[in-house]
Amino acid sequence: RISQFSQRVEIYRGAISTVHRAVCARTGARVVLKCYHQSAMTAHHRHKLDREVVAMHALRGPFVASLLARFDDAEAGESVLVLEHCEGGDLFKAMLKAGGSLPEQWVAVEAVAPLLRVLEKAAALGFLHRDIKPENLFLTSDGRLKVLDFGIARLREANASPGTTRSGDLLGTPSFM
């Protein structure tokens, strides 16, 4: 239940979800909670949440934020993803802090190479992230890259039902598509 997490601090609010930093009361571990508001979710949103869980589980590794748990809290009216907490910030903030750009060699070795490993693994497993942008690339305080937010990931399935994504639909952030 969501009540097992204390010291919740909101770090993002969207139309159907809110993201918090929190502490697990049982273990004392710092975590990130991605809470989907069930009242705002359609069947399509629930399908996307399930797909996000599948993608994060399949792509787990050193360059993807770890999914620790998923549960539904009927009392709170939320579906919750419990994610690894990392110290640091997103690539966009790092770029701003560095005056708008980062050293090319650092970007190639520390950001692009790990990102390509994740995207290569995703492609091999049939996933397409569909929202790669600096805000979804997290730099840990020790300089490691973590890919975040698989909320609009697509899984290429042999027996996929038509209509999951309609022809002409645009998913992602337009300036990064």
Side-chain angles (χ1 to χ4, degrees):
R1 294 183 50 192
I2 199 76
S3 60
Q4 72 181 346
F5 297 94
S6 63
Q7 302 175 33
R8 289 175 55 175
V9 176
E10 185 177 305
I11 55 178
Y12 172 80
R13 178 173 291 276
I16 64 165
S17 67
T18 306
V19 179
H20 302 266
R21 280 191 302 262
V23 174
C24 178
R26 279 187 295 137
T27 65
R30 296 176 65 181
V31 296
V32 171
L33 303 175
K34 189 170 184 181
C35 304
Y36 289 86
H37 315 298
Q38 291 174 352
S39 61
M41 290 179 63
T42 64
H44 177 70
H45 290 115
R46 279 188 272 292
H47 178 72
K48 283 173 47 176
L49 171 61
D50 291 341
R51 199 170 48 223
E52 180 175 12
V53 169
V54 169
M56 291 184 74
H57 180 72
L59 297 172
R60 67 187 176 277
F63 306 117
V64 174
S66 297
L67 173 64
L68 305 174
R70 178 198 189 271
F71 63 90
D72 293 323
D73 187 331
E75 188 175 304
E78 296 178 321
S79 295
V80 181
L81 301 183
V82 182
L83 306 167
E84 156 189 32
H85 177 273
C86 297
E87 293 292 334
D90 66 47
L91 185 60
F92 180 71
K93 289 177 184 154
M95 288 169 42
L96 289 176
K97 189 185 278 187
S101 66
L102 297 166
E104 290 176 18
Q105 183 174 354
W106 181 91
V107 170
V109 173
E110 302 298 333
V112 173
L115 173 60
L116 291 176
R117 285 188 200 116
V118 170
L119 296 178
E120 178 181 45
K121 183 176 180 180
L125 294 170
F127 287 98
L128 181 61
H129 185 284
R130 299 199 293 192
D131 201 19
I132 296 295
K133 60 185 178 182
E135 293 88 350
N136 286 339
L137 302 176
F138 191 89
L139 297 176
T140 64
S141 56
D142 62 355
R144 292 177 298 123
L145 179 108
K146 296 272 188 176
V147 179
L148 307 175
D149 198 353
F150 288 82
I152 62 171
R154 178 173 177 256
L155 174 58
R156 186 176 56 244
E157 301 172 82
N159 60 350
S161 59
T164 302
T165 302
R166 295 180 306 260
S167 178
D169 281 355
L170 289 178
L171 292 174
T173 304
S175 58
F176 291 98
M177 292 171 74

